[in-house]
Amino acid sequence: MSEMTSRDLLERLIGFATVSRDSNLALIEFIRDCLAQFDVESELFYNAERTKANLFATIGPRDRGGIVLSGHTDVVPVDGQAWTVDPFTLSEKEGRLYGRGTADMKGFLASVLAAVPMFVQSELRVPVHLAFSYDEEVGCLGVRPMLAELEKRTHKPVLCLIGEPTSLKPVLGHKGKLAMRCCVKGAPCHSAYAPYGVNAIQYAARLINRLEDIGDRLSQPAHHDERFDPPYSTVQTGTIKGGRALNIVPAECEFDFEVRALPGFDANEVADDLQTYARAELLPKMRAVKTDTDIRFEPLSAYPGLATPPDSEAARLLALLSGSSEFGTVAFGTEGGLFDQAGIPTVVCGPGSMDQGHKPDEFLTVEQLQDCDAMLIRLAHHLSTLA
C-alpha cells in the first residue's frame, strides 16, 4: 500500500465498526499491513479468546527508550442514536468529517499512520513506538497485557503521548474511575405482609442514599482541586433494576455506581465506606428477618487518574509539540494513568473535542486533523535533532 493521507486513512479506519463488544482484528490487521509496507514490524497482544488484539510497533533505534504514540481502536455503540449519516462511512460537509470514532479517537490514529513514512525516512535518534489498544471504552481493559510486557523490557519507553481529543490543547491530568455493582438479596412475600419480608429495593435505596452522602462530603471545599471540572471527586448511581410486581415484596435489586476520583484520592475509600455501612447497619436488620439475605459488591472496572508534573520532561515535550504551556486537565478518563503506573510518564493531546465524542453525528474538523499532522511533523524533527 502506497502512502496515504490522514484523511484517506481516517476513511478506512471509520469503515471498521470496532464497537467494544465486537472484534477489532480486521482493523488491527489493516494497520499491521500498512506498517509492513514500510518494513515496520508489529507485535500483537491478543485477548484470551483471540478475538481482539493490541498492536505495538517501533520505528527507529531499538537500543534505547522512545516516545509512545498511543490510542484505542474501539468505539462506543451507535444503537438508539439519531444519526443523519452512516456512522461507519466517512462523510464530509463544510469542513467536518463525520463518522463514529472520528473524534474519539481514530482521527489521531489516522494522523499517526499517515506520519509513518516520515518517521521511517527521518534519522530518528530516539524511536517512536505505536501502541494501539482494544476495550478502552469499557474500562481501559485491553491495554493492560501490553503494558505488562513493556514493563519487562530493558529499553522501556520513556514517555507516552495519548491522542485523546483535547482540541490539541496540552493536558497533564484527568480523574481516575472505579465502577462497581451492588446486588441486594432480599426475602419476598405478599405485599400485604410486607413487614415479614425483606424489601431489596428499599435496602438498595439506603445504600444509594449513603453514596449521595459520601458524594456530598467529597464536594466540600477542603477536598477541591481547582485544576479539574468539577473540582472534586464525584459519586453517582447510573443504573438500577429490581422487583417483579407491585404486590410482591422484591427479592432482588442491583445497581451500578461509579466514582470519578481526583488524582491522589483512592476511590476504594468510597467502596469501603459503603461496604462497611452494609455490614454494620443493614445486614443485621435484614438477617433478623431472614438469615439468607445478603448484600454483595462486584467490581466492574477501574483505572487510575493522571497528574503529570508541569515541570517534567514529558510536559516540556508536550509544550514544544502543541505550541503551548497552558496545561489543562480533562474530565474524561484515558489509559494515561495505566501508562504512568507502568513507569512511563504520560501526557494527553489529540485532535477533536470530546464534546462530539459518543454522540450521534460525531465529527472531527479537517483543520484539526491537519493540525495533528503538523504536530507529528514537529515530533519527527525533534527526535531527529536530539544530541
Side-chain angles (χ1 to χ4, degrees):
M1 182 175 296
S2 59
E3 294 184 24
M4 300 175 67
T5 67
S6 55
R7 192 219 182 273
D8 293 336
L9 284 158
L10 180 58
E11 184 171 11
R12 296 294 301 273
L13 296 179
I14 294 301
F16 295 99
T18 51
V19 177
S20 303
R21 64 186 176 225
D22 301 321
S23 173
N24 75 332
L25 289 184
L27 179 146
I28 287 292
E29 290 164 359
F30 168 76
I31 293 175
R32 180 191 61 193
D33 293 344
C34 286
L35 296 176
Q37 293 294 319
F38 301 100
D39 296 322
V40 177
E41 296 181 358
S42 301
E43 297 177 77
L44 302 188
F45 299 87
Y46 291 92
N47 64 349
E49 299 77 19
R50 296 186 71 83
T51 57
K52 301 179 182 181
N54 302 303
L55 181 145
F56 187 82
T58 299
I59 304 170
R62 294 176 176 268
D63 61 347
R64 66 201 70 182
I67 310 301
V68 177
L69 300 177
S70 176
H72 61 83
T73 62
D74 60 320
V75 298
V76 297
V78 299
D79 309 59
Q81 293 188 336
W83 284 74
T84 63
V85 295
D86 182 346
F88 298 110
T89 300
L90 191 71
S91 55
E92 183 174 353
K93 183 179 180 181
E94 297 178 351
R96 294 178 175 181
L97 300 168
Y98 291 89
R100 171 57 85 221
T102 48
D104 186 20
M105 57 178 296
K106 290 180 177 178
F108 179 73
L109 301 186
S111 193
V112 170
L113 292 174
V116 166
M118 173 184 61
F119 289 136
V120 170
Q121 294 162 12
S122 301
E123 295 183 3
L124 299 179
R125 305 292 183 88
V126 174
V128 169
H129 307 288
L130 312 185
F132 300 156
S133 66
Y134 65 88
D135 282 1
E136 187 272 350
E137 295 288 7
V138 289
C140 299
L141 302 180
V143 74
R144 298 170 197 254
M146 179 165 57
L147 284 174
E149 176 59 31
L150 294 182
E151 286 190 81
K152 302 174 186 176
R153 300 193 173 180
T154 303
H155 302 293
K156 185 168 65 174
V158 297
L159 190 152
C160 176
L161 169 62
I162 294 183
E164 289 276 8
T166 68
S167 299
L168 290 170
K169 295 177 181 177
V171 165
L172 299 183
H174 63 72
K175 294 179 181 179
K177 178 181 174 181
L178 172 67
M180 296 193 73
R181 175 168 295 156
C182 177
C183 302
V184 181
K185 178 186 177 185
C189 68
H190 194 292
S191 61
Y193 302 98
Y196 303 129
V198 176
N199 190 312
I201 291 177
Q202 289 181 351
Y203 277 96
R206 296 186 189 187
L207 290 161
I208 292 170
N209 286 337
R210 179 74 173 195
L211 283 172
E212 186 176 9
D213 291 341
I214 296 170
D216 287 343
R217 292 202 302 270
L218 293 176
S219 70
Q220 297 306 304
H223 303 294
H224 284 199
D225 184 336
E226 298 300 334
R227 296 175 299 171
F228 293 85
D229 179 23
Y232 47 86
S233 300
T234 59
V235 183
Q236 76 108 16
T237 303
T239 67
I240 185 170
K241 60 181 180 180
R244 302 296 177 89
L246 183 59
N247 61 353
I248 301 174
V249 170
E252 64 282 314
C253 183
E254 70 176 39
F255 62 91
D256 296 346
F257 67 94
E258 70 169 20
V259 185
R260 298 277 180 165
L262 291 170
F265 175 70
D266 185 358
N268 287 298
E269 290 185 22
V270 175
D272 291 344
D273 184 303
L274 194 65
Q275 291 178 77
T276 298
Y277 174 69
R279 287 193 304 269
E281 299 291 334
L282 302 187
L283 278 174
K285 296 177 181 178
M286 295 167 62
R287 289 175 175 170
V289 178
K290 192 70 180 299
T291 57
D292 65 350
T293 54
D294 200 10
I295 300 174
R296 295 180 292 104
F297 294 87
E298 303 171 7
L300 298 176
S301 64
Y303 56 76
L306 177 69
T308 299
D311 59 350
S312 64
E313 179 183 351
R316 288 192 291 272
L317 177 60
L318 181 59
L320 175 68
L321 297 180
S322 67
S324 173
S325 58
E326 295 184 6
F327 303 122
T329 65
V330 289
F332 57 85
T334 78
E335 295 167 333
L338 293 168
F339 275 92
D340 191 66
Q341 278 191 345
I344 305 172
T346 300
V347 294
V348 184
C349 185
S353 169
M354 198 57 83
D355 289 343
Q356 281 76 54
H358 298 200
K359 293 181 180 179
D361 289 351
E362 178 181 352
F363 70 86
L364 170 70
T365 66
V366 172
E367 181 181 14
Q368 280 276 296
L369 188 62
Q370 293 172 342
D371 288 347
C372 187
D373 293 342
M375 181 178 74
L376 296 177
I377 291 172
R378 291 193 290 273
L379 175 63
H381 176 74
H382 174 73
L383 298 183
S384 300
T385 57
L386 289 173

